[in-house]
């Protein structure tokens, strides 16, 4: 399976911007670290950075679901 690190970087960078614009500070912080780790189309070497983003995403999704 070929990895598209440029697309992965763009996705992380976009998430960082959206999180900042929406005021999701913790998601912004962890996605900023992930973005910098992948800058220059570098492969992700530390899976814990992605795990941190996924954890914050889950926190936000749970909070939103509780509003329903």
């Amino acid at each position: 399976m070929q990895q598209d690190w440029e697309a992965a970087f763009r996705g992380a960078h976009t998430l960082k911007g959206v999180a900042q614009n929406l005021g999701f500070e913790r998601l912004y912080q962890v996605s900023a670290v992930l973005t910098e780790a992948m800058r220059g189309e570098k492969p992700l070497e530390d899976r814990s950075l992605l795990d941190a983003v996924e954890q914050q995403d889950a926190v936000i999704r749970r909070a939103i679901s509780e509003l329903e």
Side-chain angles (χ1 to χ4, degrees):
M1 178 172 102
Q2 185 177 0
Q3 309 258 337
D4 187 347
W5 295 111
E6 180 184 356
F9 169 77
R10 282 194 318 263
H13 191 270
T14 299
L15 177 61
K16 178 182 83 163
V18 170
Q20 184 177 36
N21 288 339
L22 294 174
F24 298 147
E25 186 61 29
R26 289 183 183 145
L27 181 58
Y28 165 73
Q29 290 171 354
V30 295
S31 60
V33 172
L34 177 63
T35 298
E36 292 310 310
M38 298 180 71
R39 189 170 295 281
E41 300 177 28
K42 293 188 295 190
L44 182 61
E45 296 177 1
D46 184 354
R47 171 66 196 204
S48 71
L49 300 177
L50 181 56
D51 292 342
V53 169
E54 291 173 340
Q55 289 171 355
Q56 287 306 310
D57 176 65
V59 168
I60 291 168
R61 288 175 184 269
R62 276 193 303 275
I64 290 170
S65 72
E66 291 174 6
L67 297 173
E68 298 175 347

